Amino acid sequence: MTENYLNIKKMKEKKKQSEKSNLHNFVSNLTKEDWVKNFKEEKRIVIVLDNAKIHRAILTKKVAKILNIKLVFLEKYSSDINPIERVWYSVKHKLSTKYIENDTYLKELFRHYFHIYTTKNS
């Protein structure tokens, strides 16, 4: 890898961290009254989540509570009740049988198989 490529990569990472930090600061500084005022007309939402770290973050839970969003966490290792897991399994299985020449070809194949497995029963 060239030095220029590494510098660009570092700059992108810093930008991403900065954006996350800005969002975190913005959300953290809002009061419950701010949230209620802006979202009081919204209907109750229930979100089903896996056990990814970000889903269990204190900030996520705090915002969900303020916004009256019910978070329902799936059991650990419960891919059988998480439909997207079946799609990922099937796509990965198909991709594993192919010779991937480059990232463009990989993306094309991924889109193709993802489309097949997400529209099959539609």
Side-chain angles (χ1 to χ4, degrees):
M1 284 187 236
T2 66
E3 188 174 325
N4 191 29
Y5 173 78
L6 293 175
N7 287 338
I8 291 170
K9 191 173 180 179
K10 284 181 185 178
M11 286 173 28
K12 285 182 180 180
E13 288 173 8
K14 282 184 181 181
K15 182 180 178 193
K16 189 184 277 188
Q17 288 173 344
S18 176
E19 288 171 353
K20 284 181 184 178
S21 179
N22 289 342
L23 177 62
H24 184 272
N25 290 338
F26 173 76
V27 171
S28 296
N29 291 326
L30 288 174
T31 64
K32 184 173 182 175
E33 291 75 30
D34 293 328
W35 286 101
V36 170
K37 181 178 76 176
N38 290 311
F39 298 101
K40 67 182 176 187
E41 301 299 320
E42 297 294 325
K43 292 182 180 179
R44 177 84 192 269
I45 298 171
V46 176
I47 301 177
V48 179
L49 305 160
D50 61 16
N51 286 286
K53 268 185 169 181
I54 187 68
H55 299 158
R56 295 223 173 250
I58 293 170
L59 182 63
T60 302
K61 291 177 181 179
K62 178 181 173 183
V63 170
K65 184 176 182 182
I66 291 169
L67 295 176
N68 197 26
I69 295 173
K70 174 145 177 84
L71 302 177
V72 177
F73 293 95
L74 295 173
E75 295 287 323
K76 290 185 181 202
Y77 309 108
S78 58
S79 58
D80 54 322
I81 58 175
N82 190 352
I84 195 65
E85 295 296 335
R86 285 269 178 234
V87 173
W88 296 136
Y89 173 82
S90 300
V91 170
K92 287 191 292 187
H93 177 72
K94 283 292 189 184
L95 290 175
S96 71
T97 65
K98 305 291 181 198
Y99 173 72
I100 307 298
E101 299 165 7
N102 54 48
D103 59 339
T104 303
Y105 182 61
L106 173 62
K107 290 174 187 177
E108 287 173 16
L109 280 176
F110 176 83
R111 284 187 190 103
H112 172 74
Y113 290 123
F114 187 81
H115 177 74
I116 289 171
Y117 290 112
T118 56
T119 58
K120 211 179 230 183
N121 296 323
S122 299

